[in-house]
Amino acid sequence: MTRFALTVEYDGRPFMGWQRQPHGPSVQEAIENAIARIAHEVATVHAAGRTDAGVHALAMRAHVDLARPITPFRLMEGLNALLRPAPVAILACVVVPDDWHARFSCLGRRYEYRIVNRRAPLTFERGLAWRVPVPLDVAAMAEAARRLAGRHDFTTFRSAHCQAESPVRTLDRLEVVREGEVVRIHAAARSFLHHQVRSMTGCLALVGQGKWTPDDIAAALAARDRAALGLNAPPDGLFFVGADYPDAEK
């Protein structure tokens, strides 16, 4: 049995999310079906994280165990051939030790949320960004983001369906930067709660529009109550950017 680590890029628009679902297509199902055709065996693909419906990934990390002898290059090429025309691509494939786990070996996860701040409708980026037509005060958003950084109880920014045992998380990075009409929110932590990045983004957008202040963000955090949430941003602009492991080459 050989364990392969995969780096996966995907457009989340056609999928119900990463995880296999009984009521619609998933990224996991697409990859596992392709593996079954290549290796002629049933295998489970484990990922570093579970993205929701409509959420994208630039470099999701995953692993799979296969009994059939096959080189990483042939596995990657075969998967990419069989995954077409689904918007899923295997960017890299390497052999890893048996104790390497895409989820449990992961030391940190990074996300980016993309807002296009303009009045005109989206064309090329429709479904790949959240259009906010009202001018955003990025300086105020950045100040509000600093109130969320660190170790906190993020109950307010947690989905009611979140299955995590504890709402306490350490947010290592939450930065807001503008590049022309694009506002990018960068988030990094060892792990995130369900909808945490989208919920934080929605409230930061309220600050940017002048509807909330940075103090309102702090108050919502301190409330530890989902009812205190101002806005949950849509999935369109959320990207899983990468996962970090002890060995940088994995």
Side-chain angles (χ1 to χ4, degrees):
M1 191 74 73
T2 303
R3 178 160 294 186
F4 296 91
L6 310 174
T7 302
V8 189
E9 176 185 87
Y10 55 86
D11 177 343
R13 285 176 289 184
F15 301 106
M16 300 300 297
W18 165 271
Q19 191 174 16
R20 184 181 283 269
Q21 304 284 340
H23 55 281
S26 69
V27 180
Q28 180 185 25
E29 178 184 25
I31 298 174
E32 288 177 351
N33 288 347
I35 287 173
R37 294 176 62 186
I38 293 172
H40 304 292
E41 58 186 283
V42 177
T44 300
V45 179
H46 302 271
R50 297 176 180 177
T51 54
D52 292 330
V55 176
H56 322 289
L58 301 179
M60 175 62 74
R61 302 306 307 279
H63 80 263
V64 64
D65 296 327
L66 296 179
R68 179 183 177 181
I70 187 171
T71 66
F73 179 77
R74 285 188 60 195
L75 178 59
M76 180 177 68
E77 290 290 285
L79 288 175
N80 283 332
L82 292 174
L83 283 166
R84 290 196 295 264
V88 182
I90 310 301
L91 304 181
C93 178
V94 296
V95 174
V96 291
D98 292 345
D99 61 352
W100 188 91
H101 197 286
R103 178 184 175 191
F104 298 120
S105 299
C106 186
L107 299 178
R109 295 157 177 86
R110 290 171 280 119
Y111 284 87
E112 177 184 308
Y113 197 102
R114 300 177 183 177
I115 298 173
V116 176
N117 191 201
R118 74 183 196 193
R119 288 190 60 81
L122 299 182
T123 53
F124 297 111
E125 294 186 287
R126 188 169 65 178
L128 299 174
W130 178 25
R131 181 181 69 93
V132 177
V134 179
L136 293 173
D137 182 343
V138 172
M141 293 172 68
E143 171 59 28
R146 286 190 282 272
R147 308 291 182 92
L148 296 174
R151 186 171 180 82
H152 305 287
D153 181 328
F154 284 97
T155 295
T156 301
F157 302 92
R158 172 190 193 181
S159 165
H161 303 292
C162 182
Q163 298 179 353
E165 294 183 1
S166 170
V168 176
R169 290 293 184 272
T170 299
L171 192 57
D172 298 316
R173 179 190 185 197
L174 188 64
E175 295 182 350
V176 185
V177 296
R178 179 185 285 278
E179 299 173 4
E181 65 182 16
V182 178
V183 176
R184 300 181 188 273
I185 298 173
H186 301 283
R190 186 178 184 92
S191 63
F192 289 89
L193 300 168
H194 189 208
H195 282 187
Q196 183 179 349
V197 177
R198 289 171 55 190
S199 296
M200 294 188 302
T201 296
C203 292
L204 290 175
L206 291 178
V207 173
Q209 296 174 61
K211 297 179 179 179
W212 274 26
T213 68
D215 287 342
D216 290 325
I217 284 274
L221 176 66
R224 302 177 185 178
D225 184 353
R226 183 68 175 177
L229 182 74
L231 179 65
N232 196 42
D236 307 36
L238 186 56
F239 290 76
F240 184 98
V241 174
D244 302 315
Y245 295 90
D247 185 342
E249 295 183 356
K250 294 295 187 292

